[in-house]
Structures are given as structure tokens and as C-alpha cells.
Amino acid sequence: VVHAAMAPHARARGHAAALAGYGARRPRDEDIALRVHHAEAAGLAADAAALAPAAARRAAATGDHREAARLLALALRGAPALDDEARAQLLERLSDELTLVNRHGEAIAAREQALAIHVTRGDLRAQGIAQRALARLCWFEEGAMGRCLRWAQRSIDSLAALPPSRELALSYSTMAHLR
């Protein structure tokens, strides 16, 4: 009740003070989500974005995949200076979490963004893995079987250019499953 009666700027200052109260100590699993909450409420987007991936990991581990997806999206929005590899990893995690909460269109979009980064970086292994994930994701979209098969074939083509691997075997398995 007291919190709600406070002026917004006073609430933001209170949240900033609460966040500062944690000091420089490393966040524990139990308090990481609370730190993100205080950072967001204080308007400290960069701090919230920096803490969000760990909070998302914790949320996913406890089965809260919607919150994990929200936190990963926060991390991606609030950290524009991420290097390509880190951004691709966050996008892949976001895609996985969105899949678990039946937001397949958004999961596909996130995975396609990650794939674009892998293509730019010339990472064939990561490309093949992302293409296989897209083949599996498209399966949830009505009328997209042709797209599924194209992604599965692209995955095989990307990974076949490398030495034989588990990932290539999984791509063949995905193609067999789709047929």
C-alpha cells in the first residue's frame, strides 16, 4: 500500500537503492530475479539486461518458461552492444523458451535471427544446427511441411560440408521424421 502511494520517481529511487544494497557481490540464484525486478523498476535497463540471462536460466529451471522468454527478450533489447556470438546464443535460448510456451511464430523468428548471425560469421556447424531447429519448429505451423523439408535439407547440406558429426546424424533423423 505504501509503495503504491509513492510518487513514481520516489519508487524508482527506492528500487535503485534496493539494487545498490546488493553491492558488488555475485548474485545468488535466489535473488537474481529480484535484482532484475529492482533494475527494471528503477529504469536501469542496462543493469536489468545484464542480469536477465541468469534470471532466465533460473526461471527455466523452475519451469517458468514464459518468464524465461520475457527475460531473454529483455536481455536482447537492453544490451545492443552484445557481440554476435552472445546475441545468437540468447536468440537460440529465446527460441527454445518460446517453443515451450507454444509461441512458435516468435520462436521461428528468433531462430532465423540467430541463423542470420551464424551465416554472417560463416559458422557452418551453428548454421546446420539452427536450420535443423527451424525444420522442427516449422512442423508446428499448419501447411508448412514444404518449409520444414527445405530447412532439414539445408541443415544436412551445411553439416555435410564438415566431418561426420552427431549434428549431421540428427539432421538426417529430422529429415526422416518429417517424411
Side-chain angles (χ1 to χ4, degrees):
V1 176
V2 171
H3 188 264
M6 294 172 69
H9 68 279
R11 278 196 306 267
R13 275 198 319 266
H15 284 290
L19 183 62
Y22 287 105
R25 78 173 196 263
R26 184 179 172 166
R28 296 184 324 234
D29 279 353
E30 311 78 63
D31 65 17
I32 191 74
L34 195 54
R35 286 185 185 209
V36 172
H37 164 75
H38 288 307
E40 281 184 290
L44 302 170
D47 292 338
L51 294 165
R57 195 171 296 107
R58 170 81 172 164
T62 61
D64 192 349
H65 300 290
R66 277 184 179 72
E67 179 65 2
R70 185 190 78 77
L71 289 163
L72 290 165
L74 170 69
L76 286 160
R77 278 192 317 274
L82 281 173
D83 67 65
D84 285 347
E85 186 174 354
R87 180 167 298 283
Q89 288 174 355
L90 286 177
L91 285 163
E92 288 166 348
R93 286 178 58 197
L94 175 60
S95 178
D96 291 343
E97 295 301 330
L98 290 167
T99 300
L100 292 171
V101 295
N102 295 321
R103 290 167 54 188
H104 300 112
E106 293 169 80
I108 290 168
R111 190 66 67 162
E112 286 175 336
Q113 289 176 48
L115 174 59
I117 292 170
H118 298 316
V119 168
T120 299
R121 293 177 61 234
D123 186 340
L124 281 178
R125 180 180 176 278
Q127 286 175 47
I129 292 169
Q131 290 161 334
R132 182 177 63 83
L134 283 163
R136 294 174 61 226
L137 280 168
C138 287
W139 185 79
F140 293 104
E141 299 284 302
E142 190 169 335
M145 186 54 71
R147 230 169 78 195
C148 293
L149 292 169
R150 283 190 298 278
W151 280 123
Q153 187 60 55
R154 288 176 189 158
S155 175
I156 291 167
D157 294 345
S158 294
L159 294 167
L162 302 171
S165 65
R166 176 183 185 274
E167 290 81 11
L168 178 58
L170 287 170
S171 292
Y172 278 117
S173 173
T174 298
M175 178 64 88
H177 172 78
L178 292 171
R179 290 190 183 260

